Amino acid sequence: GSPDSACPPGMLLLKGGGYLLGNNAALDPSQTVPSAGIIEGRFVLESFCVDVLPFPGIEGAAWPRDGLTAVMAARFDQRLSVWNRRLCTITELLFAAAGPNNWRYPYHPDSYDPDTCDPDDRRPQPLGHYRGCVSSTGVRDFGVRSAWGRLDPAMAQHLAIYDAPPLPPWESAEAPASAGYASYGGTSRRDTFYRPHNFGVHSHGGTRNHSDDGARVCMNPGLWTSQSEAGYLDWRAEILTGGSYVDLLKASSP
């Protein structure tokens, strides 16, 4: 956690501010797909706590064997709120990955390295296995799998200018099932339409939960207590047993 204990163990406090973030087309025109990425813009963030690792956020733990749909992401977000946690916003995820200097890849300002982060998003090594897969903010394992996040109003307005985020080409062109959420970032595969860099964004409108669309957890600073933390850890332990978002959400249904 952060030195002032604004965030619980396993989370980092990232300082808010105004930042220029997103894809500058001049960097790599061949990878600029406007509707499958976040074009450069200025974003203002409040300070926030973010899990160092993707959910379940435990170094050495297995990645969940499935992923989330937009509807599941909304349910997951609702369950997190019981312990004063939440899904990160898309803007927060972008900042955590790209950092204040707007790096194109988590580990480098502009150069892709296939060996720095896990090259196999389908059967990845345990969380934190690739020590160099860390962003300039200290957040790890971006660029392995995408992460569902809240589509915050400022980002939604920014993306709407060029009709992003899109549904994947193999799905219908209808709006996502839950317009309040999107899937941030690329995966380790180079052949995806949203690319493996920090600026990818897309959505899914169907009921299929793709394993490469997971989650990362955030929290507003100063909201955690030892009691809420104990409850969260007990709930999170369910996925360490079953390994599935579907099972976790079923087990925690109201």
Side-chain angles (χ1 to χ4, degrees):
S2 56
D4 60 359
S5 297
C7 307
M11 287 188 140
L12 290 176
L13 177 66
L14 299 189
K15 297 289 187 180
Y19 301 98
L20 194 64
L21 301 169
N23 194 27
N24 179 340
L27 288 174
D28 186 353
S30 68
Q31 288 196 356
T32 301
V33 181
S35 62
I38 302 168
I39 300 299
E40 191 175 67
R42 186 165 183 82
F43 297 94
V44 177
L45 300 94
E46 299 294 328
S47 297
F48 64 100
C49 303
V50 58
D51 268 356
V52 174
L53 291 161
F55 189 79
I58 303 168
E59 186 161 7
W63 291 75
R65 67 172 183 268
D66 61 357
L68 296 166
T69 64
V71 170
M72 290 173 66
R75 288 183 57 206
F76 185 72
D77 196 18
Q78 184 179 29
R79 294 303 302 170
L80 291 172
S81 69
V82 173
W83 303 283
N84 293 322
R85 280 170 161 81
R86 56 179 174 79
L87 282 179
C88 304
T89 69
I90 300 299
T91 302
E92 287 169 342
L93 291 169
L94 171 61
F95 177 68
N101 295 316
N102 196 34
W103 286 14
R104 187 172 186 82
Y105 298 96
Y107 46 80
H108 196 276
D110 52 35
S111 296
Y112 174 73
D113 180 356
D115 299 318
T116 299
C117 295
D118 200 313
D120 186 355
D121 67 81
R122 292 180 176 88
R123 293 172 298 277
Q125 294 295 315
L127 293 167
H129 179 82
Y130 284 75
R131 304 297 300 178
C133 191
V134 57
S135 72
S136 63
T137 62
V139 183
R140 301 174 64 185
D141 284 356
F142 275 114
V144 181
R145 287 181 172 177
S146 303
W148 281 97
R150 292 181 176 183
L151 190 52
D152 49 297
M155 179 61 76
Q157 185 177 16
H158 178 74
L159 295 174
I161 295 171
Y162 50 95
D163 297 324
L167 291 171
W170 57 87
E171 292 185 357
S172 70
E174 297 174 2
S178 176
Y181 298 86
S183 196
Y184 166 78
T187 68
S188 50
R189 284 172 287 142
R190 297 281 283 172
D191 62 348
T192 60
F193 72 103
Y194 41 81
R195 301 298 192 260
H197 54 55
N198 285 334
F199 309 133
V201 66
H202 66 286
S203 193
H204 291 280
T207 57
R208 180 183 172 192
N209 55 331
H210 301 265
S211 65
D212 60 1
D213 292 310
R216 194 181 293 261
V217 177
C218 280
M219 174 188 275
N220 294 343
L223 292 184
W224 73 289
T225 65
S226 56
Q227 184 177 1
S228 65
E229 192 67 7
Y232 174 71
L233 297 179
D234 284 346
W235 175 75
R236 186 181 67 174
E238 293 284 343
I239 202 165
L240 301 179
T241 304
S244 161
Y245 283 109
V246 168
D247 292 343
L248 179 68
L249 292 174
K250 283 180 180 177
S252 60
S253 296

